[in-house]
Amino acid sequence: MSFLNGGLLWLTAAATIPIIIHLLHRSRFIKIRWAATNFLKKAIKKTRKKIRLENLILLLLRILIVTLLALAVAKPVLQHSLIGAAFSVPTSYYVIVDNSLSMNYKYGTQTLLEKAKTISSELLAKINMKSEDRLTVITFNKYPKTYPDFIRKEGAKELIQNIQPTEFEGDALATFTELSQSLKKSTHTMRKIYLITDLQVSNWKSADIDSKALGGLLKDLSHDQKNSFSILDVGENRENCSITSLTPLDNYILKGSRSLFTATVFNFSKNRPASKEISFYVNSSKVTSQNIVIEPLKANTATFDYTFTQSGYASMHCSLDNDFLSLDDNRYLSVKIHENIKMLVINGEPAPGWNDEASFLKEVLTSEDEISIFSLSVSTPIEFNESDLHKYDMVFILNTNHIPTKKVLAISEYIENGGSVFISVGSNCNADTYNKFFGQILPGEMSENIDCKDDCFISTVSDQMGLLSDRKIDLTNISFKKIQGIKPQKGAKNLLEVVYNGNKLPLLVLQEKGLGKIVLYTTTIDDEWSRFCFNPLYALFIYNTIEVLMSKPFTTLTHQLGDTVKIVLPRELFDQEYIVNFKNTKYHVSPISNSPSNQYIYLFFPEEPPDSKEKDRSINYGLSNSGFYSVAKKSSPVQNILQFSVNLPPRIPEFDLMLYSESNLEKIEDMKQLFPEFRFHQEGKEEGTHAQPIQATILWKPLLYAVFVLMVLEFLFASYLDKKKSL
């Protein structure tokens, strides 16, 4: 026997009250000698025993009434008993069905989710629901959903059969938090919770789950006498391999050039090596395949090459064959194929011949070997059109003394949206003017330039530039006449430094801003302040700087499940509505707002997320399906203007052993070790950490009936005794 309100058992101490009252109100006699006393003593002896017995019965009735009333308030539960079966308890049933990523695992002809649905039907058939009972269904995944208050089992069964698998991993903390909220709404005194799951380790222990918070929640829920937990394990011990990444090895992809891509495959099985065939597709057409062997709990890579014959957007994906979990057997990648690298050169000091910085740059970038790679457009700070910035992959700002504020704002937004900017200084550069007008695009605060008089040499080269680490190149003999002073802001990186009078000065400063990058070269790109431009290594320096600027993650084209996609389109592609296509489904999206410079249009898909303060972690505001998505204007739906891909989130092998343990028993033992305070019963097993049966009887109703009967008896008996005394 147990008590739902065990904390109220102290009320049974009230049973002493009738005893105290009885002792305080016993009859008191005054001794008076009287001649007829002897005759009365003989009469009292005959009735004394009878009076004591009657008073004792009355006292016991009152003690019993108080005791049973206190026990009724504590609500005792008698388990596995037929006593009191007539007093059935209103019960809330909760069936939690795991539909997370691992439940897509297919064993034979049936997935684990299909197996879970079969088991849930068998479970529902065993539950004998009364008219006052209620049944709630909750899905177990990163974003659980609750379907409450089914009166009939048939409705819940139909719902469970229609539950679809998700591509999200499970989250026990999110699911049991959802359960906790539902339990608070229940007015029933008994709650039976059944969890049908494969006991995936990453659903209970991962970098995203607060194990301490989860353990405390499980303890609170399972130690509540109103709740009982049963776990139905549907997991199977089979191997699993997953493609965890597909990335290009080049910072930019050019039409007609050979491009390399690498795919990483991880073996999540503990048991044996896996031999897999991985296939590579471009625009849905299979290009090639490779066979690779992956050791247990290890990764292996496959590299593919491809030459694109057309510019624009391209879709690629890799696929594994003959695996038990198909959802993680694919990886998607969207890329933009460039005709060439388009560059806008804003020349602050136009001049004929070699006195023009743009001429130096053009000479370097349009040599005979590289003439087809770069396409340069030269303009002035006043003449360049800020509306065309989105057409360029890079912008060079050379020795410019002033750019209109409106155009600086457009350049800043261009960088935020993924653009690359190279800034070099010179005689036109004034520190105060730059800080005032260019401050939002500079990687630091400028100070006065330093006249080094050819006594300033390169000291440090960052490995990111690859000038010293990859090649045996000595740059320490290159001197500079002048260096622009700058104090890099927080987050900026000094890729190159020079030494003057024992002090290190930044020469090449990198700053990441939004999705783009800025590089500041603190001297001139021509020979005005530097002799570097005449060095054979100068072209390599420029090429490597371009590589650094172009090495941006493909975050604008490749996303993860749960992400909200911010789509940035140039103003010239404006439409009242856009269509996002995914497989055979079309989503209609309206533009949210214009950019500050009014040069871009912003869209959010699937929807604009709420502020972080208003965001509910149990709700998925982002993407729910992996694959390829395309965007088109509603006015011309056939022509795609953008394409992006969506993948499963990265998985951490430490927490994501797909098939956990060698046997079901080990999985239960793992659960005990992870959450020793979690009391549950493993359905179908004789042993559990805290077995709690399906049927139980609460005795508070029959106790209240008994109290009522005893109170009536006590009243009648007390009335009888009072009447007897008055005679």
Side-chain angles (χ1 to χ4, degrees):
M1 178 184 290
S2 58
F3 295 87
L4 296 182
N5 297 328
L8 298 178
L9 284 174
W10 62 271
L11 291 175
T12 55
T16 60
I17 294 176
I19 300 175
I20 295 172
I21 294 174
H22 175 77
L23 294 175
L24 292 175
H25 290 79
R26 284 189 305 174
S27 298
R28 304 290 182 181
F29 298 97
I30 300 175
K31 293 183 178 181
I32 299 176
R33 295 191 176 277
W34 182 40
T37 302
N38 294 332
F39 298 102
L40 290 174
K41 284 183 178 180
K42 293 180 181 180
I44 290 172
K45 285 182 179 179
K46 293 180 180 179
T47 60
R48 180 180 296 172
K49 290 184 179 180
K50 184 178 179 181
I51 293 172
R52 285 183 177 178
L53 180 60
E54 290 172 344
N55 288 335
L56 181 60
I57 292 173
L58 186 61
L59 177 62
L60 290 176
L61 281 173
R62 290 169 176 172
I63 293 173
L64 193 59
I65 289 171
V66 175
T67 303
L68 293 182
L69 185 60
L71 289 175
V73 172
K75 293 186 177 180
V77 178
L78 191 60
Q79 298 174 342
H80 280 301
S81 176
L82 297 176
I83 300 175
F87 306 100
S88 60
V89 181
T91 304
S92 292
Y93 297 94
Y94 295 84
V95 179
I96 305 175
V97 181
D98 190 341
N99 66 333
S100 61
L101 172 68
S102 60
M103 294 294 285
N104 291 275
Y105 175 83
K106 194 169 187 178
Y107 177 60
T109 60
Q110 194 178 41
T111 66
L112 294 185
L113 180 57
E114 291 168 344
K115 182 179 178 181
K117 291 179 179 180
T118 301
I119 290 177
S120 68
S121 297
E122 297 172 354
L123 173 66
L124 291 175
K126 296 178 181 178
I127 295 177
N128 183 23
M129 286 187 65
K130 305 294 191 301
S131 59
E132 65 271 23
D133 295 343
R134 294 294 181 268
L135 195 150
T136 296
V137 177
I138 300 176
T139 58
F140 184 107
N141 56 69
K142 189 174 183 179
Y143 303 103
K145 291 184 179 180
T146 299
Y147 306 90
D149 296 339
F150 283 95
I151 300 175
R152 297 172 61 251
K153 294 187 294 183
E154 290 73 14
K157 181 179 179 181
E158 182 179 357
L159 173 70
I160 292 174
Q161 295 304 315
N162 290 325
I163 290 177
Q164 298 299 313
T166 70
E167 297 184 43
F168 293 102
E169 291 190 348
D171 188 326
L173 180 57
T175 302
F176 281 96
T177 300
E178 184 82 2
L179 170 65
S180 177
Q181 296 299 322
S182 184
L183 289 173
K184 290 178 182 178
K185 299 175 184 177
S186 173
T187 58
H188 291 166
T189 50
M190 289 295 292
R191 286 87 69 99
K192 306 290 185 180
I193 300 111
Y194 303 93
L195 173 60
I196 308 175
T197 179
D198 61 352
L199 289 177
Q200 169 77 9
V201 169
S202 62
N203 294 349
W204 303 80
K205 179 185 178 183
S206 75
D208 296 329
I209 297 176
D210 186 339
S211 297
K212 185 176 180 180
L214 176 57
L217 180 60
L218 292 175
K219 177 183 177 181
D220 292 341
L221 293 178
S222 63
H223 285 235
D224 187 336
Q225 292 291 337
K226 298 179 182 179
N227 303 331
S228 66
F229 284 83
S230 296
I231 294 180
L232 295 88
D233 180 16
V234 298
E236 299 287 347
N237 185 25
R238 291 292 185 274
E239 68 177 32
N240 171 255
C241 290
S242 171
I243 303 178
T244 56
S245 69
L246 174 61
T247 56
L249 296 181
D250 303 303
N251 292 323
Y252 48 85
I253 300 172
L254 293 172
K255 169 187 170 182
S257 298
R258 178 172 173 264
S259 300
L260 295 175
F261 303 87
T262 181
T264 303
V265 182
F266 195 93
N267 183 1
F268 287 98
S269 174
K270 293 181 178 180
N271 301 327
R272 56 185 179 277
S275 178
K276 295 293 179 182
E277 181 182 80
I278 181 170
S279 301
F280 181 63
Y281 296 81
V282 176
N283 295 329
S284 301
S285 298
K286 184 175 179 178
V287 175
T288 184
S289 61
Q290 294 181 22
N291 289 311
I292 59 174
V293 176
I294 315 102
E295 295 296 324
L297 304 182
K298 299 289 184 181
N300 200 356
T301 59
T303 303
F304 307 94
D305 66 275
Y306 189 78
T307 301
F308 294 91
T309 58
Q310 293 183 338
S311 58
Y313 293 102
S315 59
M316 286 155 283
H317 80 275
C318 284
S319 177
L320 284 179
D321 293 332
N322 301 321
D323 196 59
F324 293 99
L325 183 62
S326 60
L327 281 179
D328 66 352
D329 291 342
N330 294 278
R331 203 75 182 177
Y332 306 94
L333 176 67
S334 294
V335 294
K336 184 178 181 181
I337 314 303
H338 298 267
E339 188 82 26
N340 46 42
I341 302 301
K342 294 180 174 59
M343 299 177 173
L344 172 63
V345 180
I346 302 174
N347 192 4
E349 192 180 21
W354 286 91
N355 291 324
D356 188 334
E357 282 92 341
S359 300
F360 271 84
L361 183 64
K362 190 173 183 180
E363 184 71 20
V364 172
L365 297 181
T366 58
S367 61
E368 294 182 1
D369 294 336
E370 307 291 349
I371 193 169
S372 62
I373 295 180
F374 304 108
S375 173
L376 275 68
S377 298
V378 181
S379 186
T380 66
I382 303 299
E383 293 175 349
F384 85 89
N385 187 354
E386 67 271 20
S387 300
D388 293 335
L389 283 173
H390 68 274
K391 299 178 181 178
Y392 297 99
D393 302 298
M394 283 189 63
V395 174
F396 285 83
I397 302 176
L398 308 179
N399 194 14
T400 300
N401 63 350
H402 178 69
I403 296 178
T405 303
K406 180 181 178 182
K407 296 190 175 187
V408 173
L409 177 63
I411 293 173
S412 176
E413 193 167 20
Y414 164 77
I415 298 169
E416 288 277 0
N417 292 325
S420 302
V421 173
F422 180 101
I423 303 173
S424 70
V425 297
S427 58
N428 284 341
C429 173
N430 178 276
D432 293 336
T433 301
Y434 264 58
N435 291 332
K436 181 177 180 180
F437 295 104
F438 296 169
Q440 57 187 308
I441 63 173
L442 288 176
E445 182 180 357
M446 282 191 176
S447 56
E448 295 299 321
N449 60 59
I450 302 169
D451 189 354
C452 304
K453 300 178 181 179
D454 289 334
D455 192 23
C456 182
F457 298 90
I458 291 180
S459 166
T460 307
V461 182
S462 168
D463 287 342
Q464 189 170 355
M465 289 296 292
L467 293 175
L468 293 181
S469 59
D470 297 337
R471 303 170 179 87
K472 294 181 179 180
I473 298 174
D474 185 10
L475 298 178
T476 56
N477 62 344
I478 299 173
S479 63
F480 298 86
K481 300 176 185 178
K482 288 185 179 181
I483 293 292
Q484 178 65 52
I486 185 172
K487 181 181 179 181
Q489 60 183 295
K490 186 178 180 180
K493 301 176 183 178
N494 293 339
L495 301 183
L496 287 174
E497 293 177 331
V498 295
V499 173
Y500 176 66
N501 285 343
N503 298 317
K504 289 185 178 181
L505 306 174
L507 179 64
L508 195 68
V509 184
L510 170 69
Q511 176 74 53
E512 297 182 4
K513 182 179 180 181
L515 299 175
K517 292 182 178 181
I518 313 155
V519 157
L520 174 65
Y521 185 44
T522 61
T523 189
T524 58
I525 205 168
D526 60 6
D527 64 339
E528 184 180 359
W529 287 8
S530 167
R531 299 184 186 279
F532 193 12
C533 58
F534 297 117
N535 192 295
L537 301 177
Y538 186 64
L540 182 61
F541 161 73
I542 294 295
Y543 293 149
N544 281 3
T545 303
I546 293 173
E547 287 284 341
V548 170
L549 284 169
M550 294 292 289
S551 63
K552 297 184 288 288
F554 289 80
T555 51
T556 56
L557 299 180
T558 302
H559 302 271
Q560 298 175 10
L561 290 177
D563 286 352
T564 296
V565 181
K566 181 181 179 181
I567 301 172
V568 182
L569 298 174
R571 184 71 186 175
E572 63 189 37
L573 293 178
F574 174 78
D575 201 356
Q576 296 293 333
E577 194 172 54
Y578 298 84
I579 297 175
V580 178
N581 297 287
F582 175 70
K583 296 182 178 179
N584 297 323
T585 306
K586 297 181 183 296
Y587 302 91
H588 294 265
V589 183
S590 299
I592 297 297
S593 62
N594 294 327
S595 64
S597 67
N598 204 34
Q599 303 302 318
Y600 298 91
I601 303 162
Y602 295 148
L603 313 175
F604 289 95
F605 180 77
E607 60 179 313
E608 184 176 11
D611 295 336
S612 57
K613 293 182 179 179
E614 301 176 359
K615 200 169 185 179
D616 187 343
R617 287 192 60 195
S618 65
I619 299 175
N620 176 27
Y621 299 97
L623 299 158
S624 299
N625 301 102
S626 59
F628 293 110
Y629 295 73
S630 61
V631 183
K633 296 165 66 175
K634 186 179 180 180
S635 57
S636 54
V638 178
Q639 183 180 2
N640 293 332
I641 58 177
L642 183 69
Q643 178 180 289
F644 61 89
S645 57
V646 179
N647 288 299
L648 300 178
R651 293 161 59 189
I652 305 173
E654 179 185 355
F655 301 121
D656 204 3
L657 307 179
M658 179 53 65
L659 295 171
Y660 4 88
S661 302
E662 298 297 327
S663 67
N664 290 350
L665 181 60
E666 286 186 13
K667 287 191 285 183
I668 295 298
E669 292 302 319
D670 290 344
M671 285 290 294
K672 293 179 185 179
Q673 292 180 10
L674 283 174
F675 308 106
E677 297 291 336
F678 180 30
R679 296 178 176 180
F680 64 91
H681 168 69
Q682 186 184 6
E683 195 69 18
K685 302 292 182 182
E686 295 181 358
E687 296 181 357
T689 56
H690 185 72
Q692 300 191 43
I694 294 178
Q695 298 299 329
T697 302
I698 293 181
L699 299 180
W700 65 273
K701 282 188 177 181
L703 286 177
L704 286 178
Y705 290 138
V707 168
F708 176 75
V709 172
L710 289 174
M711 289 179 67
V712 172
L713 290 175
E714 190 273 345
F715 174 77
L716 294 175
F717 193 60
S719 299
Y720 164 74
L721 293 181
D722 288 341
K723 185 176 180 180
K724 185 178 178 182
K725 288 180 181 180
S726 64
L727 292 177

